[in-house]
Amino acid sequence: MRALLVNPWIYDFAAYDLWSKPLGLLRIASFLKRCKVKIDLIDCLDRNHPALKTYLRKMPRSSFYGCGNYYFELIEKPKILKSIPRRYKRYGMPRELFERLIKRQSRPDIILITSGMTYWYPGVLEVVEILKKRFKGIPIILGGIYARLCPEHAKKNIPVDFIYSGNNLFEIAELIFKITRYNFEYLRIKQKPFFYAYELYPKLEAVSLRTSSGCPFRCSYCGWYLLEDGFRYNFTQDFIVEKIAYFFKVKGVKNFAFYDDAFLYNACQHAIKIMQKLIKRKIKANFHTPNGLNIRYITKEIARLLKASGFIRPRLGLEFIFKKKENLTNIKATKEEFLKAIGYLKEAGYPSKDIGVNIMIGLPEEDYFEIEETVKFVASQKVRIHLEEYAPVPGTPDFFKAGLTYDSDPLLHNNSAFLYLNKDASRLEALKDMVHKYNAQIIYS
């Protein structure tokens, strides 16, 4: 049996690759490979695909740490986004290259497509249309975040055979069995954990992983608790470190991104053990935390371990600093906790400019002056600031406060669109310019 797995393009006003990988799809690939299924993977967002080098005159720029710019092509804005004064783009490999790769593929027995942000669904639609034309009659299953948060929209607008809105490998196996009659029963036997099938990538510059699933918190703007049932650890600490050691020592990978939503939660049982084992194994790699670390859990010991184990440029998830925001967003840290965490990180040896702080802008009931005050307060600590634009997540409290419904076009979930259509965009753009100039000053100081 053969399965074709596809990660579609991003359709957006802006996109940057922070070690992004379709982790759910890669776990499914690992699962199916253990079932003796032949797997073909086309990741439209693979910036290092060898075919790009022969197709493009100039490859997109990569940073020293393995992240970087996507190749993009300008495309026409959807009608609902026409008023947004920004260019709309298809991020990822050129469409023509994707079509060439598809033509080379052996005919699969089934096609699995993942999906990212809800408002990227135009890329999903385009991929589906190409695949249906090339592989007529082959059943297609659509899963991923868009399929799970907007299943009814997907059913009406994406012409696939099945929409999978769950998050269970055995359920996927049962669905594939019903479609293809391929028997997965022996997989019920207890086996080692399913990691990510990174061996499907022709060239690997960085490895992303989520050591835990779900989030123990219920922030009003975030929807991870809608995607995962509770909070759990995906792998043991020994298993995680063994995998990192393999990719570092055997494959030469030097950059690893932890995409956990609560990496430091219950740190004594998980994160601390991982860091201690990394130090003991003398793995001199670079570890990244793009989703942000919870400030309240940063102690003197944790700051020391982060530095000693190779976590560079740690990002902290601040969002807001004002106590009166507690009822609005479940504030993650007070001023005192923030200053204490910054102090611990500096004491551990992190230069100020290597500490990043995420500040969210664009929430439905925010106050512009409070955001500005937060930015100025964080800037006083000489750390890097990352403004995170709010994107409405279906089913969350802030989604409904934003005046959206499940019937709203997911394109309206776009962070840039939401800012321009619902906020004083000129003020927020001025704030972005201020932060950009400030960051440039501290980085090159």
Side-chain angles (χ1 to χ4, degrees), residues 14 51 142 219 306 435:
L142 173 64
C219 297
L306 285 168
V435 168

Side-chain angles (χ1 to χ4, degrees), residues 242-265:
E242 282 298 329
K243 286 297 182 180
I244 290 173
Y246 167 76
F247 284 109
F248 176 69
K249 295 179 179 180
V250 178
K251 297 297 183 180
V253 176
K254 297 181 180 179
N255 290 283
F256 298 82
F258 284 79
Y259 265 90
D260 296 61
D261 294 291
F263 181 62
L264 297 182
Y265 179 73

Side-chain angles (χ1 to χ4, degrees), residues 342-353:
I342 294 296
Y344 288 149
L345 290 170
K346 291 180 179 179
E347 185 179 335
Y350 286 105
S352 297
K353 63 183 180 181

Side-chain angles (χ1 to χ4, degrees), residues 141-428:
I141 301 175
L142 173 64
I145 294 175
Y146 162 64
R148 294 172 68 186
L149 292 178
C150 301
E152 294 306 316
H153 185 274
K155 289 176 185 177
K156 293 178 182 177
N157 294 276
I158 310 296
V160 295
D161 302 279
F162 302 91
I163 304 289
Y164 178 67
S165 300
N167 187 33
N168 185 292
L169 292 176
F170 288 110
E171 286 181 356
I172 295 171
E174 290 171 0
L175 177 57
I176 295 174
F177 171 74
K178 290 178 182 178
I179 298 169
T180 66
R181 312 311 296 175
Y182 187 83
N183 194 350
F184 292 96
E185 285 302 314
Y186 71 90
L187 272 175
R188 303 278 182 197
I189 300 172
K190 186 177 181 180
Q191 300 185 58
K192 292 181 180 180
F194 297 100
F195 198 63
Y196 313 105
Y198 276 113
E199 64 273 15
L200 295 173
Y201 283 89
K203 180 182 178 183
L204 198 59
E205 196 172 55
V207 164
S208 296
L209 66 159
R210 294 185 70 201
T211 69
S212 60
S213 293
C215 183
F217 308 106
R218 293 292 184 272
C219 297
S220 61
Y221 52 83
C222 182
W224 274 114
Y225 65 91
L226 300 172
L227 297 171
E228 305 282 357
D229 296 326
F231 177 80
R232 66 185 182 279
Y233 294 116
N234 296 331
F235 315 105
T236 66
Q237 296 82 40
D238 284 331
F239 182 85
I240 294 162
V241 175
E242 282 298 329
K243 286 297 182 180
I244 290 173
Y246 167 76
F247 284 109
F248 176 69
K249 295 179 179 180
V250 178
K251 297 297 183 180
V253 176
K254 297 181 180 179
N255 290 283
F256 298 82
F258 284 79
Y259 265 90
D260 296 61
D261 294 291
F263 181 62
L264 297 182
Y265 179 73
N266 198 16
C268 290
Q269 298 300 317
H270 191 64
I272 286 178
K273 290 182 178 179
I274 291 173
M275 291 186 284
Q276 288 173 337
K277 292 176 186 296
L278 290 171
I279 294 169
K280 187 176 181 179
R281 295 286 294 269
K282 297 181 180 180
I283 299 174
K284 302 296 183 181
N286 301 315
F287 300 102
H288 310 272
T289 58
N291 277 4
L293 299 171
N294 192 305
I295 289 169
R296 285 180 171 164
Y297 294 129
I298 295 179
T299 63
K300 183 178 290 189
E301 180 191 11
I302 285 176
R304 179 186 64 80
L305 287 172
L306 285 168
K307 182 65 175 177
S309 59
F311 281 79
I312 65 167
R313 296 184 176 182
R315 280 207 189 192
L316 310 183
L318 178 63
E319 276 79 53
F320 287 102
I321 204 82
F322 297 97
K323 289 186 178 181
K324 59 183 174 181
K325 287 288 183 184
E326 285 185 17
N327 294 331
L328 180 63
T329 63
N330 300 331
I331 188 170
K332 288 188 175 180
T334 63
K335 288 183 179 180
E336 293 74 20
E337 289 168 331
F338 171 74
L339 291 173
K340 188 179 292 185
I342 294 296
Y344 288 149
L345 290 170
K346 291 180 179 179
E347 185 179 335
Y350 286 105
S352 297
K353 63 183 180 181
D354 282 354
I355 302 171
V357 179
N358 296 339
I359 299 175
M360 186 167 286
I361 61 173
L363 282 161
E365 297 180 357
E366 72 182 3
D367 184 308
Y368 173 81
F369 294 103
E370 290 179 358
I371 302 172
E372 189 174 42
E373 190 174 340
T374 297
V375 168
K376 290 178 179 178
F377 177 78
V378 174
S380 70
Q381 299 304 303
K382 308 298 182 184
V383 295
R384 288 179 295 111
I385 296 174
H386 302 275
L387 294 181
E388 304 287 334
E389 295 179 351
Y390 167 69
V393 179
T396 60
D398 282 354
F399 175 80
F400 298 110
K401 288 178 184 177
L404 296 168
T405 69
Y406 288 116
D407 293 328
S408 302
D409 191 322
L411 289 172
L412 295 176
H413 306 168
N414 184 287
N415 52 355
S416 296
F418 184 77
L419 286 181
Y420 276 98
L421 296 175
N422 298 278
K423 298 290 179 178
D424 186 340
S426 60
R427 276 186 162 184
L428 292 174

